[in-house]
Amino acid sequence: MAGIELAHIRNRILSALPNNSLSALIPHLTPVELPSRKVLVENNERPLHAYFIESGLASMIAMSADGESVEVGHIGFEGMSAAHTVLGADTTPNRTFMQVAGYGYALPTDCLRKIADRDALFLELLLRYNHYAALQLANSALANARYSINERLSRWLLMVHDRLLSHDLPLTHEFLALMLGVRRSGITNELHVLEGIHAIRATRGNVRILDRQKLEAIAAGSYGTPEQIYEELFRKPLNATIRPR
């Protein structure tokens, strides 16, 4: 697609590709705006596109048959939506939507599979990302089961901070409560605690990170393992013996 320059691509999956693989992929990518609340993957429906996010933040929500829901993962410029399609699954019970507006590149899922079938380097990166996404989901389950609201909130703010690369996070108390599966009053109380130690400043519709190290100390073991593994996966060179087919 004319207008997409290799050097300007921010998405870490795409930017990790060798230039020849990325150049072959670019004609199939469409730059798109991703407004807040845009659904990227509807639960139990086959997505027509995978979105490689350049900016903004998407949330993956696990949903039960009786309407219960909780956030189980984040997607920012490090990732993509519809990663399950790489594994041969057409649908997922999880729902993914934009939490903070941004933009990215849309790739038809049929095209995604075809290109991955013939370009083993692209497939390798997609599988690395799927491994990381599974670890992130597992750590969300661990955090929900074993860590306090204060620890989980700190973890969640750190994960958002990682992806938005801004100290100002456009988040409301209501949305934080929904994402963490707790009451709004509980979130408000915990935000006050974090403000009291000068880790954050919360205003209407915004949380400003003042001291990331304090958040990391509170989050303790609930944060960091998937993030470390992601850096290892995407710092590791692609298998030089694999060539696009």
Side-chain angles (χ1 to χ4, degrees):
M1 171 77 61
I4 300 179
E5 296 184 23
L6 273 62
H8 293 165
I9 290 178
R10 187 183 185 192
N11 181 273
R12 290 192 61 181
I13 298 175
L14 298 181
S15 62
L17 283 168
N19 283 347
N20 60 330
S21 292
L22 184 54
S23 295
L25 184 62
I26 278 180
H28 306 283
L29 297 174
T30 301
V32 290
E33 295 293 326
L34 299 173
S36 177
R37 303 304 175 105
K38 176 179 174 61
V39 175
L40 307 185
V41 177
E42 189 59 87
N43 62 310
N44 300 318
E45 292 185 11
R46 182 178 181 273
L48 297 180
H49 295 88
Y51 294 91
F52 292 84
I53 295 176
E54 289 277 292
S55 69
L57 179 72
S59 290
M60 182 184 295
I61 309 297
M63 305 178 68
S64 68
D66 56 0
E68 296 294 332
S69 62
V70 68
E71 186 188 62
V72 293
H74 285 156
I75 307 170
F77 71 98
E78 88 291 347
M80 61 179 289
S81 68
H84 63 279
T85 61
V86 178
L87 305 177
D90 284 332
T91 64
T92 174
N94 297 333
R95 187 173 190 258
T96 302
F97 67 95
M98 292 301 295
Q99 183 180 135
V100 177
Y103 71 98
Y105 299 112
L107 177 67
T109 49
D110 287 341
C111 186
L112 172 70
R113 290 183 178 183
K114 290 176 182 177
I115 295 174
D117 282 344
R118 67 172 183 258
D119 188 336
L121 294 176
F122 184 40
L123 177 60
E124 182 178 340
L125 282 173
L126 296 177
L127 293 177
R128 290 185 191 185
Y129 178 72
N130 264 287
H131 175 58
Y132 158 75
L135 291 174
Q136 185 188 136
L137 189 152
N139 273 258
S140 292
L142 176 62
N144 289 339
R146 297 298 184 189
Y147 287 85
S148 68
I149 296 176
N150 190 253
E151 292 164 334
R152 289 164 52 203
L153 174 59
S154 296
R155 170 184 181 264
W156 200 89
L157 292 174
L158 288 166
M159 293 173 69
V160 175
H161 192 221
D162 289 341
R163 288 158 178 80
L164 295 184
L165 298 178
S166 169
H167 295 314
D168 287 301
L169 315 180
L171 307 168
T172 65
H173 292 199
E174 290 83 2
F175 211 76
L176 285 166
L178 173 64
M179 292 300 98
L180 290 173
V182 298
R183 293 182 178 179
R184 184 189 185 280
S185 58
I187 287 295
T188 300
N189 290 339
E190 297 304 331
L191 287 172
H192 287 329
V193 171
L194 294 179
E195 284 188 297
I197 64 171
H198 306 291
I200 65 167
R201 182 168 64 247
T203 55
R204 184 176 180 84
N206 190 78
V207 176
R208 182 171 179 81
I209 305 299
L210 300 178
D211 193 327
R212 182 181 170 95
Q213 289 184 338
K214 289 180 180 178
L215 292 178
E216 291 176 349
I218 294 170
S222 70
Y223 170 81
T225 298
E227 289 75 18
Q228 179 182 350
I229 291 174
Y230 181 92
E231 293 302 325
E232 292 171 358
L233 288 171
F234 280 80
R235 185 169 58 242
K236 177 183 176 183
L238 290 168
N239 190 336
T241 64
I242 297 177
R243 291 290 182 266
R245 295 190 288 269

